[in-house]
Amino acid sequence: MMKKFKLYYDKDKEEAFLNDMSAKGHAMKRFFLGMYTFEKCQPNEYTYRVDLISDKTVEQRNELYDLIRDSGGELVQTWEIWAIFRKKGNFELYTDPESQIKQFRRIRTIFLRLALMEFILSLPNWYNAIQTKEPTRIFLSLLLTLIAFIFLKQVRTCTKKITELEKLA
């Protein structure tokens, strides 16, 4: 067993990391709070894909899981808004530019909502931090604002990917 700590907000970077680990002979077994646990496998045994599931109903999720299973793949783990899948050999979830555009639009919408929520949550914290000048409140306000900017960066990343894919479509 091997453990690695990584935090990803970009599904493509997370897929690249998991596929690189697979190429080195390490298959993801589980994930919790940024800690990936790997077990030995044959180099390049698995191809990993990450998909947004938070905007799907339970029925839609189960249909997706069945589709992956029927194609020879498996659900490795779900974590909050994401699902991580793997399959032996080559494996794509979204093969054409149109479906990829739809996927990135869904992801962009989630990150935009999260960014707005973080900004809204930071406003009363900033007000209190300015009034009280407490270091803890200032730190919390900075943290919430930083998280909002990280989410906005992902909105920008998704928008760039959508633009590139629209040129292909």
Side-chain angles (χ1 to χ4, degrees):
M1 291 267 213
M2 175 176 50
K3 294 183 184 264
K4 285 204 175 239
F5 180 80
K6 299 269 186 181
L7 287 176
Y8 288 104
Y9 295 101
D10 185 321
K11 75 153 204 84
D12 289 343
K13 288 181 181 177
E14 185 172 25
E15 283 180 0
F17 166 69
L18 293 171
N19 288 317
D20 182 56
M21 292 300 292
S22 177
K24 294 174 181 174
H26 305 287
M28 184 188 135
K29 184 173 182 172
R30 69 180 163 267
F31 172 86
F32 183 73
L33 294 175
M35 186 63 68
Y36 292 85
T37 302
F38 295 92
E39 58 190 1
K40 287 280 187 195
C41 70
Q42 294 298 315
N44 291 310
E45 184 173 351
Y46 296 106
T47 300
Y48 288 87
R49 295 293 170 228
V50 178
D51 195 20
L52 179 71
I53 58 169
S54 66
D55 61 343
K56 296 181 184 312
T57 65
V58 172
E59 184 178 303
Q60 289 171 325
R61 289 179 192 186
N62 288 333
E63 286 175 14
L64 175 64
Y65 302 158
D66 289 343
L67 178 68
I68 299 296
R69 231 181 339 271
D70 292 346
S71 72
E74 65 181 305
L75 171 66
V76 180
Q77 183 164 354
T78 59
W79 178 256
E80 297 297 324
I81 65 173
W82 303 105
I84 301 172
F85 303 99
R86 73 179 175 199
K87 182 178 176 183
K88 291 185 178 189
N90 196 19
F91 170 46
E92 294 293 335
L93 286 175
Y94 301 93
T95 56
D96 61 292
E98 292 298 322
S99 63
Q100 292 171 351
I101 289 168
K102 285 180 185 176
Q103 181 195 37
F104 282 112
R105 283 185 178 149
R106 291 174 33 237
I107 294 169
R108 181 177 63 183
T109 298
I110 293 294
F111 277 108
L112 184 57
R113 288 178 184 165
L114 289 170
L116 290 172
M117 182 182 71
E118 292 295 328
F119 273 127
I120 289 168
L121 289 172
S122 74
L123 292 175
N125 282 295
W126 275 116
Y127 177 78
N128 289 330
I130 291 167
Q131 296 296 317
T132 64
K133 296 181 177 42
E134 287 181 37
T136 306
R137 287 193 185 272
I138 293 169
F139 175 76
L140 179 60
S141 301
L142 284 170
L143 183 62
L144 289 171
T145 305
L146 175 64
I147 291 169
F149 279 111
I150 290 169
F151 290 155
L152 282 177
K153 182 177 182 275
Q154 281 312 116
V155 168
R156 187 171 150 233
T157 299
C158 287
T159 301
K160 284 182 179 179
K161 290 176 183 179
I162 291 166
T163 302
E164 291 170 9
L165 288 165
E166 285 174 338
K167 290 176 184 175
L168 297 174

